[in-house]
Amino acid sequence: MHRSTLMLTSFIGAVAAFQCSSFNTTVTVSAPSYQPAFPSFADHYKSVAFLNALTARNASTTASPFKGAVNVAETFRISGEYCTPTPSQRPAYLDVQVLTHGLGFDKSYWNFGGDSSRYNYVRAATGAGYATLSYDRLSNGGSSVVDP
Ligand SMILES: *[C@@H]1O[C@H](CO)[C@@H](O)[C@H](O)[C@H]1NC(C)=O
Ligand SMILES: *[C@@H]1O[C@H](CO)[C@@H](O)[C@H](O)[C@H]1NC(C)=O
């Protein structure tokens, strides 16, 4: 009996008051990229020496480490998730919070601990009447992994 009470409690606690839909979209980018004007480093000492020269007080007197710009035009997949309060809890107007994760994470950062966790940001934001749009930055999670 005690066990079934516990199960019922956790079931109610797990009912989310928000709903989400995952999607992929494509973003086409066209931007200048600067090509290195120096050969590959033979060892780590060479790369440290290069970094020292580049950041020295007199660095402006050294030759530019880059050749001219080339245009890079590519299409990338971006993985996202849009969440709203459930219809019964939805206010008349929804402001959308755009959620960008930091280094070492993907968009799951905003759902930390699962739907019923008190640390779940999407749960808190939708509970406060906002919609959320989280996405994986390029080369993270479900977004395209690219050559840096
Ligand atoms: C998005 O694309 C990835 C890679 O093709 C796929 O694994 C994933 O299921 C897709 N997600 C959706 C919501 O379509
Ligand atoms: C910059 O200063 C360092 C340290 O004095 C010197 O070794 C280097 O040759 C200088 N570089 C240029 C380009 O003048």
Side-chain angles (χ1 to χ4, degrees):
M1 172 128 162
H2 185 67
R3 173 172 287 193
S4 63
T5 306
L6 270 180
M7 283 174 62
L8 183 62
T9 305
S10 63
F11 175 73
I12 291 169
V15 173
F18 61 99
Q19 55 194 33
C20 299
S21 56
S22 298
F23 62 92
N24 287 328
T25 187
T26 55
V27 176
T28 300
V29 184
S30 177
S33 177
Y34 294 89
Q35 303 294 296
F38 48 88
S40 299
F41 301 118
D43 53 42
H44 292 308
Y45 296 106
K46 294 275 192 299
S47 65
V48 171
F50 175 77
L51 189 63
N52 284 341
L54 211 59
T55 56
R57 281 175 180 264
N58 61 0
S60 62
T61 60
T62 60
S64 169
F66 298 108
K67 291 189 247 180
V70 294
N71 197 57
V72 173
E74 276 196 59
T75 298
F76 303 111
R77 180 186 64 248
I78 298 295
S79 170
E81 188 174 63
Y82 180 71
C83 300
T84 61
T86 49
S88 63
Q89 304 192 342
R90 197 171 296 164
Y93 299 98
L94 278 178
D95 287 327
V96 180
Q97 294 187 2
V98 178
L99 307 178
T100 302
H101 63 83
L103 279 180
F105 298 99
D106 61 21
K107 66 180 178 302
S108 66
Y109 174 83
W110 301 105
N111 293 313
F112 186 83
D115 285 355
S116 59
S117 169
R118 62 190 292 213
Y119 302 111
N120 182 324
Y121 185 86
V122 169
R123 178 181 184 235
T126 53
Y130 293 95
T132 62
L133 174 64
S134 57
Y135 67 99
D136 291 327
R137 292 167 59 186
L138 200 56
S139 289
N140 291 280
S143 294
S144 299
V145 176
V146 300
D147 178 352

